[in-house]
């Protein structure tokens, strides 16, 4: 820490103490900080760090919530833009929702552990009302990028930290979807750190916009990728977007409305999107279940689905989606076919309908995961391999850890750690059957379907 920074930190500590002991005197701090301190004092937030931000829900509830959050689609981008630098520089980066709940907190292992001690952790609520003045919470209050330095935090528990954060907005509506944050030591109290999070937020908004306006990609009845003309944004001319990766309940966007489908309806829509030209009831029943599915049960499900989507979208005899459908899983397949592995991995938030046991979904899920895994391992790119093994579906992939070790520089501590992880997984391999899928997540799926 240089002299100017140390002086600034000392001055901020003095200003904080004076505010707490002099009935709200706020000289020596920025106006936005003083205003936040007053709101915190009025709201009963404790400044001494004796009450840490609360943790919301269980780990299972958080995992389920994260799978359906809009920002999961740009998490790989945040990891690429902020994650590597945070890990190298001893910082953490975080992504939170509009309530201030931290959905992901990643970065340098030691820094993550230090952050957890003050409940700056996944599932903790860092709104201004719960955690006092802090960058993510103030971003949600003001709707603009914010940098909070050391003693500007209302809670003394955070005075050793500085943070910079920016809002991420829906590119279509302008609504705030959440916040991205970079937290750490003195180097975060600099203009480049604020510029980094602002740039990451803008890149995320551009990626979300690209997903809405990307060329429509369909799988034809022969299983090959069919690329159609550029599709309009959903809601303009009946274009439909289906998002089913990394979530058990698919999202289908049409005519400006987003439908969250039930697990069974998600399977039906995915099956119809894969068929392309339509399918008979008998074939659809086989696609959906290995057990006999009665025609009356299937018709009832399709009737309920039609009431949700409308007859203009769901046709019968044969059953088909009547508008072009852009799917996230077909987008990934198309990117892989073009050799764009980095973009394909960035667009893959997780397996297709992870809990589904519908044969057509299981087959497509396995095929896509194998294609993506093969492309990542074959790339020899350490960053792509790191992102793969850091994901839940790649965490126990021994060959991927081996490939990562080979890709890292000789003598690197990370290379030694990757090689050790690969050896440990090889030693555990006798405990699980050999599966066509990879990772603990896929192994659990295989067990549940047996």
């Amino acid at each position: 820490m240089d002299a100017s920074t140390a002086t600034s930190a000392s001055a901020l500590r003095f200003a904080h103490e004076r505010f707490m002991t002099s009935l709200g005197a706020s000289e020596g701090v920025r106006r936005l900080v003083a205003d936040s301190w007053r709101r915190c004092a009025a709201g009963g937030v404790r400044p001494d760090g004796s009450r840490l931000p609360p943790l919301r829900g269980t780990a299972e509830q958080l995992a389920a919530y994260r799978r359906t959050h809009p920002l999961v689609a740009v998490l790989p981008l945040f990891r690429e833009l902020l994650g590597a630098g945070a890990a190298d520089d001893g910082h953490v980066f975080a992504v939170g929702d509009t309530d201030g709940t931290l959905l992901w907190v990643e970065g340098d292992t030691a820094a993550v552990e230090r952050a957890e001690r003050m409940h700056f952790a996944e599932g903790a609520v860092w709104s201004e009302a719960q955690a006092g003045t802090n960058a993510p919470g103030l971003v949600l209050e003001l709707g603009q990028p914010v940098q909070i330095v050391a003693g500007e935090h209302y809670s003394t528990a955070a005075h050793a930290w500085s943070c910079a954060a920016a809002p991420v907005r829906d590119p279509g509506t302008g609504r705030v979807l959440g916040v991205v944050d970079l937290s750490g030591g003195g180097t975060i109290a600099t203009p480049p750190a604020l510029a980094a999070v602002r740039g990451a937020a803008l890149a995320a908004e551009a990626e979300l916009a690209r997903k809405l306006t990307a060329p429509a990609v369909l799988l034809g009845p022969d299983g090959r990728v069919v690329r159609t003309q550029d599709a309009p944004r959903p809601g303009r001319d009946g274009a439909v977007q289906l998002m089913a990766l990394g979530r058990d309940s698919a999202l289908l966007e049409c005519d400006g409305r987003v439908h969250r489908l039930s697990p069974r309806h998600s399977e039906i829509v995915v099956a119809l999107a894969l068929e392309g030209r339509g399918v008979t009831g008998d074939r659809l029943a086989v696609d959906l279940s290995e057990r006999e599915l009665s025609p009356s049960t299937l018709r009832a499900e399709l009737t309920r689905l039609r009431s949700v989507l409308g007859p203009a979208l769901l046709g019968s005899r044969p059953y088909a989606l009547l508008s072009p459908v852009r799917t996230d899983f077909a987008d990934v397949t198309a990117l892989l076919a073009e050799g764009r592995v980095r973009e394909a991995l960035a667009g893959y938030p997780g397996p297709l309908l992870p809990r589904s046991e519908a044969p057509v979904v299981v087959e497509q899920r396995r095929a896509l995961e194998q294609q993506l895994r093969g492309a990542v391992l074959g790339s020899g790119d350490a960053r792509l391999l790191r992102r793969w093994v850091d994901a839940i579906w790649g965490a126990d992939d021994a060959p991927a850890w081996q490939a990562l070790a080979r890709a890292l520089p000789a003598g690197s501590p990370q290379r030694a750690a990757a090689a050790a992880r690969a050896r440990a997984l090889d030693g555990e391999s006798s405990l699980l059957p050999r599966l066509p899928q990879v990772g603990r997540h896929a192994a659990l799926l295989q067990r549940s379907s047996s």
Side-chain angles (χ1 to χ4, degrees), residues 26-252:
S26 58
E27 293 83 7
V29 296
R30 294 178 291 159
R31 180 174 178 177
L32 67 85
V33 174
D35 289 345
S36 176
W37 284 2
R38 294 188 188 100
R39 289 193 297 269
C40 293
V45 180
R46 295 182 183 176
D48 59 2
S50 60
R51 186 173 64 189
L52 297 175
L55 295 171
R56 179 170 292 170
T58 65
E60 292 76 16
Q61 290 170 333
L62 177 64
Y65 175 50
R66 294 193 306 188
R67 286 197 296 268
T68 62
H69 196 275
L71 293 185
V72 73
V74 290
L75 178 61
L77 181 64
F78 287 141
R79 285 172 171 158
E80 181 173 351
L81 295 178
L82 299 176
D88 292 341
D89 297 335
H91 305 317
V92 300
F93 85 92
V95 179
D97 70 2
T98 53
D99 293 327
T101 301
L102 302 182
L103 305 180
W104 295 276
V105 179
E106 302 178 6
D108 175 71
T109 301
V112 169
E113 292 175 352
R114 290 198 305 274
E116 287 176 347
R117 290 197 285 271
M118 64 174 185
H119 278 201
F120 193 85
E122 294 175 351
V125 184
W126 275 73
S127 64
E128 184 186 77
Q130 294 290 348
T133 307
N134 67 92
L138 203 48
V139 162
L140 296 174
E141 285 287 329
L142 305 179
Q144 65 186 42
V146 171
Q147 194 163 34
I148 295 297
V149 177
E152 290 181 332
H153 288 92
Y154 189 75
S155 172
T156 56
H159 277 191
W161 294 78
S162 293
C163 49
V168 183
R169 298 181 180 274
D170 183 300
T173 66
R175 178 174 60 90
V176 173
L177 297 174
V179 59
V180 60
D181 170 83
L182 195 59
S183 292
T187 55
I188 302 299
T190 59
L194 183 59
V197 293
R198 293 182 69 177
L202 291 173
E205 292 171 0
E207 176 66 10
L208 291 171
R210 187 193 68 79
K211 288 179 179 294
L212 292 177
T213 59
V217 179
L218 300 174
L219 290 181
D222 59 356
R224 296 182 178 180
V225 174
V226 178
R227 190 177 282 277
T228 67
Q229 63 183 8
D230 285 351
R233 282 180 62 92
R236 291 189 176 180
D237 297 313
V240 179
Q241 181 175 4
L242 177 66
M243 292 162 284
L245 290 177
R247 59 180 73 244
D248 298 314
S249 295
L251 300 180
L252 189 140

Side-chain angles (χ1 to χ4, degrees), residues 238 240 242 252 254-255 259 261 264-281 284 288 297-325:
V240 179
L242 177 66
L252 189 140
C254 179
D255 293 329
H259 304 278
L261 306 179
R264 175 56 93 185
H265 287 171
S266 299
E267 292 170 340
I268 292 173
V269 173
V270 166
L272 295 178
L274 289 169
E275 291 291 347
R277 296 179 182 176
V279 62
T280 66
L284 185 56
L288 294 175
T297 299
L298 181 59
R299 283 195 299 270
E301 288 287 0
L302 287 160
T303 298
R304 285 191 285 268
L305 180 58
R306 187 176 286 108
S307 70
V308 174
L309 303 182
L313 180 58
L314 181 59
S316 58
R317 298 183 182 179
Y319 295 113
L321 297 174
L322 301 179
S323 296
V325 180

